[in-house]
């Protein structure tokens, strides 16, 4: 029994559902997160109430799931936020669900579900829509997709407060980066709003979101994945503007990740930090120094660490910040040596040696592939061998029809039903575009790479969702970015010089953050660089100044 909640929580798995089937009672699934303040409140106020706990223990099989450790369960049963309180039939189908429930609300729902179950049984349950409609609507990839996304951003842009939409206000790093190339004024106004309202000026790092349209009612949890993505976004804003006001938030977040969120035992980044004491974030620095630091979830997850590697390498590429490079390399070593085996990336470090957990998850595979291609751009293209292994395993095990499912069709509850998450499909397709560009430059050594094949898979995957692209919100701006890069070809700068050379460093700092840079290329004369986009290819350049002119010429020609 949980000492705090008084509820006799079971672990997620077949045993819990078998118990429910044998007893002919529903499952109460509680989705929580260590960083979720409302989850802890519900434990202390609702699940700790003795009569409610007894009611649950007698009439339901209660199952507790940490959403960071079980992302496939999260994605199938999330009720729109955390905590999620979901009632299931013994076969895993959904009876009903809610978010936070106080004592009175929980009593009412328990009575309602019990009555529903006694009256209708499994007939009252259903499969969520995302799992009923197996194949997304396919369509043609055209430039209209990029234009439609820009239209979405313009339509939902908050002229007064910055950012997009009303409330809650999330930082939306993918939208920030998409707008940075296509409407810089709107993008920078939104960068300013995110930096002014969500950056912790005392400890560094970004808070998760603001509850109100004017960026007030900030939710003070900090997650590795969102902070890693924002390091990259602000670094890219610095690349485009050269202004310190965009570099400094990235630097403060780098400090936060390499101190507060660094797990020394594993030599990688921890997952998150809880909000801490109420009101602690609004007091002055002297008083705040006396307040205990909020607890950190030391769990090390491959996907968020891959995002951090990508973000830190992006920052290093533009600033030569040695701390960013060192920590990126340390986390990369753990990712490659401890979490990656035969192309499968273990979701969690703590279970990486457990064969039952060594199954590929699409988003983890995609983020790892992105990190490896970033390392190939910035550090050493020798990582390409691992990148190819990740790509091939993902294609072999998760490609299904015209797109990718999120994981194997096995597991308790609804895990055996395929889910095709748009964000993960887009991330993997975009990473394949990067890998193909690296392969074109012949840096694979003994690795046999078919770059055109990777581009075909990227096109097929993005096309599989194109029929609904006119309905995508700004949260899916990455889709339009990937389509644009596929159709036009990413700006690719091939450098026949070592990583860190003047020519390579100049290539990294050319102002197009969607580019691919390939060091140590064997397809050019040593000490030269070449610029390519689509069918446009420049003459070789021997100096950073010449390279800048070649980039400008290719961009102007491709935009004509």
């Amino acid at each position: 029994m949980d000492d705090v909640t008084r509820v006799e929580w079971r672990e997620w798995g077949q045993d819990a559902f078998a118990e429910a089937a044998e007893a002919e009672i529903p499952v109460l699934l509680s989705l929580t997160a260590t960083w979720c303040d409302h989850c802890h409140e519900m434990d202390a106020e609702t699940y700790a109430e003795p009569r409610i706990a007894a009611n649950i223990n007698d009439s339901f099989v209660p199952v507790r799931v940490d959403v960071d450790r079980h992302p496939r369960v999260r994605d199938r049963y999330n009720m729109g936020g955390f905590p999620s309180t979901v009632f299931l039939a013994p076969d895993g189908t959904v009876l009903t669900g809610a978010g936070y429930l106080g004592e009175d609300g929980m009593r009412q729902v328990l009575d309602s579900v019990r009555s529903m179950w006694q009256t209708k049984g499994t007939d009252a349950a259903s499969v969520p829509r995302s799992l009923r409609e197996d194949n997304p609507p396919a369509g043609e990839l055209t430039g209209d997709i990029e234009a439609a996304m820009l239209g979405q951003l313009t339509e939902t842009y908050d002229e007064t407060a910055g950012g997009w939409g009303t409330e809650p206000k999330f930082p939306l790093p993918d939208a920030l980066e998409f707008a940075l190339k296509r409407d810089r004024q709107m993008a920078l106004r939104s960068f300013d709003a995110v930096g002014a309202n969500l950056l912790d000026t005392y400890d560094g790092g970004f808070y998760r979101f603001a509850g109100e349209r004017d960026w007030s009612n900030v939710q003070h949890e900090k997650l590795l994945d969102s902070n890693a993505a924002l390091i990259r976004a602000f670094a890219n804003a610095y690349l485009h503007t050269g202004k310190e006001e965009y570099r400094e938030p990235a630097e403060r977040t780098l400090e936060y990740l390499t101190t507060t969120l660094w797990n020394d035992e594993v030599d990688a980044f921890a997952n998150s930090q809880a909000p801490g004491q109420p009101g602690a974030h609004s007091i002055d620095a002297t008083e705040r120094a006396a307040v205990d630091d909020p607890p950190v979830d030391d769990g090390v997850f491959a996907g968020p660490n891959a995002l951090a590697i990508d973000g830190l390498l992006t920052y290093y590429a533009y600033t030569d910040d040695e701390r960013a490079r060192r920590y990126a390399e340390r986390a990369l070593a753990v990712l490659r040596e401890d979490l990656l085996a035969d192309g499968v990336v273990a979701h969690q470090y703590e279970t990486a040696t457990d064969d039952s957990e060594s199954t590929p998850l699409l988003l983890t595979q995609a983020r790892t592939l992105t990190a490896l291609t970033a390392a190939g751009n910035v550090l050493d293209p020798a990582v390409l061998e691992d990148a190819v292994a990740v790509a091939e395993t993902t294609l072999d095990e998760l490609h299904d029809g015209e797109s990718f499912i999120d994981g194997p069709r096995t597991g308790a509850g609804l895990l055996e039903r395929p889910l095709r998450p748009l964000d993960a499909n887009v991330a993997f397709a975009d990473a394949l575009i990067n890998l193909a560009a690296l392969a074109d430059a012949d840096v694979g050594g003994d690795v046999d790479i078919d770059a055109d094949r990777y581009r075909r898979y990227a096109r097929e995957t993005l096309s599989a969702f194109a029929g609904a692209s006119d309905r995508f919100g700004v949260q899916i701006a990455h889709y339009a970015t990937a389509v644009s890069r596929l159709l036009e070809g990413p700006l690719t700068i091939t450098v026949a010089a070592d990583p860190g050379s003047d020519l390579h460093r100049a290539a990294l700092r050319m102002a197009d953050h969607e580019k691919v840079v390939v060091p140590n290329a064997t397809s050019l004369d040593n000490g030269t660089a070449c610029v390519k986009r689509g069918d446009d290819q420049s003459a070789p350049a021997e100096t950073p100044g010449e390279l800048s002119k070649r980039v400008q010429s290719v961009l102007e020609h491709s935009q004509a």
Side-chain angles (χ1 to χ4, degrees):
M1 178 180 291
D2 189 300
D3 292 336
V4 175
T5 70
R6 298 176 180 267
V7 174
E8 298 170 358
W9 298 111
R10 277 66 152 182
E11 292 185 0
W12 174 269
Q14 296 287 2
D15 289 349
F17 287 96
E19 180 184 346
E22 183 176 356
E24 298 183 340
I25 56 176
V27 171
L28 188 163
L29 173 62
S30 170
L31 298 179
T32 68
T34 58
W35 45 262
C36 170
D37 227 15
H38 294 303
C39 299
H40 299 303
E41 289 176 12
M42 190 169 171
D43 278 352
E45 297 176 7
T46 303
Y47 290 124
E49 206 285 316
R51 286 169 294 184
I52 289 177
N55 191 342
I56 292 171
N57 292 333
D58 291 343
S59 302
F60 302 87
V61 174
V63 175
R64 170 61 59 86
V65 166
D66 182 303
V67 297
D68 292 321
R69 287 158 175 79
H70 295 275
R72 298 182 69 216
V73 179
R74 173 198 65 206
D75 293 343
R76 283 161 175 75
Y77 292 108
N78 182 6
M79 291 289 120
F82 308 111
S84 280
T85 310
V86 197
F87 295 87
L88 312 177
D91 63 357
T93 53
V94 178
L95 295 166
T96 189
Y100 180 96
L101 291 171
E103 290 183 35
D104 292 341
M106 178 61 86
R107 290 190 184 94
Q108 293 175 13
V109 172
L110 292 175
D111 291 342
S112 174
V113 172
R114 186 185 296 104
S115 175
M116 179 196 307
W117 180 251
Q118 292 172 349
T119 303
K120 299 182 179 180
T122 55
D123 290 340
S126 63
V127 176
R129 180 178 177 181
S130 60
L131 298 174
R132 293 198 308 269
E133 300 176 357
D134 187 23
N135 292 310
E140 184 181 358
L141 299 181
T142 70
D144 291 342
I145 291 173
E146 182 181 15
M149 180 56 67
L150 182 56
Q152 282 272 18
L153 286 163
T154 303
E155 182 179 342
T156 59
Y157 176 58
D158 188 334
E159 292 274 1
T160 303
W164 294 279
T166 53
E167 71 277 334
K169 277 283 184 67
F170 284 87
L172 303 177
D174 287 343
L176 290 170
E177 291 185 321
F178 175 86
L180 193 56
K181 276 188 64 173
R182 296 157 181 94
D183 190 328
R184 185 175 299 184
Q185 182 178 359
M186 177 169 60
L188 295 182
R189 177 75 176 83
S190 298
F191 271 105
D192 293 343
V194 171
N197 294 286
L198 295 184
L199 180 66
D200 182 351
T201 57
Y202 181 78
D203 282 327
F206 287 92
Y207 300 125
R208 185 162 167 254
F209 71 96
E212 304 299 329
R213 180 173 185 171
D214 64 357
W215 298 92
S216 61
N217 188 25
V218 172
Q219 305 300 296
H220 292 105
E221 59 267 22
K222 298 178 186 175
L223 277 59
L224 173 60
D225 55 4
S226 56
N227 272 275
L230 285 167
I231 285 180
R232 190 181 80 169
F234 273 85
N236 284 326
Y238 172 65
L239 171 71
H240 281 266
T241 65
K243 294 183 178 180
E244 287 295 302
E245 62 199 81
Y246 301 113
R247 186 196 62 79
E248 289 173 358
E251 181 183 35
R252 293 303 315 280
T253 307
L254 167 64
E255 292 173 358
Y256 172 74
L257 262 58
T258 55
T259 54
T260 303
L261 285 192
W262 185 252
N263 184 323
D264 281 312
E265 292 185 6
V266 179
D267 221 24
F269 295 100
N271 188 55
S272 62
Q273 186 176 31
Q277 298 179 21
H281 301 275
S282 60
I283 60 179
D284 64 36
T286 303
E287 294 174 316
R288 189 164 172 183
V291 175
D292 290 339
D293 291 333
V296 170
D297 178 355
D298 282 331
V300 171
F301 299 94
N305 267 270
L307 281 179
I309 293 164
D310 184 22
L312 266 61
L313 289 179
T314 301
Y315 183 77
Y316 166 69
Y318 307 152
T319 64
D320 288 335
D321 187 295
E322 283 298 310
R323 175 179 47 181
R325 180 189 60 78
R326 288 197 310 272
Y327 278 91
E329 288 180 334
R330 291 166 70 178
L332 182 64
V334 171
L335 187 65
R336 297 178 67 193
E337 297 169 13
D338 299 326
L339 295 172
L340 176 60
D342 299 324
V344 177
V345 188
H347 170 61
Q348 183 180 351
Y349 178 87
E350 289 78 1
T351 59
T353 58
D354 183 348
D355 291 339
S356 67
E357 295 291 333
S358 296
T359 55
L361 302 181
L362 179 59
L363 187 57
T364 300
Q365 299 284 117
R367 287 175 167 178
T368 300
L369 184 56
T370 299
L372 290 169
T373 57
N377 286 188
V378 178
L379 298 176
D380 186 353
V383 301
L384 197 59
E385 184 173 354
D386 281 344
V388 169
V390 171
E392 291 298 330
T393 296
T394 309
L395 291 170
D396 288 344
E397 300 199 26
L398 299 181
H399 189 253
D400 183 275
E402 305 300 314
S403 58
F404 294 84
I405 56 176
D406 68 328
R409 296 174 183 252
T410 58
L414 295 177
L415 294 188
E416 63 182 17
R417 287 181 173 261
L419 183 66
R420 301 175 190 275
L422 174 58
D423 59 344
N425 270 270
V426 172
F428 188 70
D430 202 31
L432 286 179
I433 295 169
N434 290 338
L435 183 56
L438 282 164
D440 279 338
D442 192 24
V443 292
D446 296 331
V447 183
D448 185 19
I449 307 172
D450 186 344
D452 288 337
R453 174 170 168 266
Y454 289 145
R455 274 188 284 267
R456 286 196 302 272
Y457 273 110
R459 178 179 292 275
E460 179 183 84
T461 302
L462 296 171
S463 298
F465 297 89
S469 62
D470 59 336
R471 302 191 296 276
F472 292 164
V474 298
Q475 298 87 349
I476 312 296
H478 192 186
Y479 177 80
T481 299
V483 170
S484 173
R485 297 179 79 231
L486 179 70
L487 293 179
E488 299 175 8
L491 180 72
T492 303
I493 307 175
T494 304
V495 184
D498 292 336
S501 65
D502 288 346
L503 202 55
H504 175 242
R505 290 167 63 245
L508 291 170
R509 295 173 188 190
M510 296 298 158
D512 180 348
H513 66 273
E514 296 173 7
K515 65 184 177 293
V516 176
V517 175
V518 189
N520 272 352
T522 59
S523 55
L524 297 173
D525 291 337
N526 191 41
T528 65
C530 182
V531 184
K532 180 180 179 181
R533 188 175 194 182
D535 295 329
D536 295 325
Q537 182 166 320
S538 75
E542 296 183 357
T543 67
E546 288 181 358
L547 179 59
S548 180
K549 292 177 182 178
R550 302 287 192 272
V551 168
Q552 188 63 32
S553 176
V554 168
L555 287 176
E556 289 175 353
H557 189 266
S558 64
Q559 293 166 1

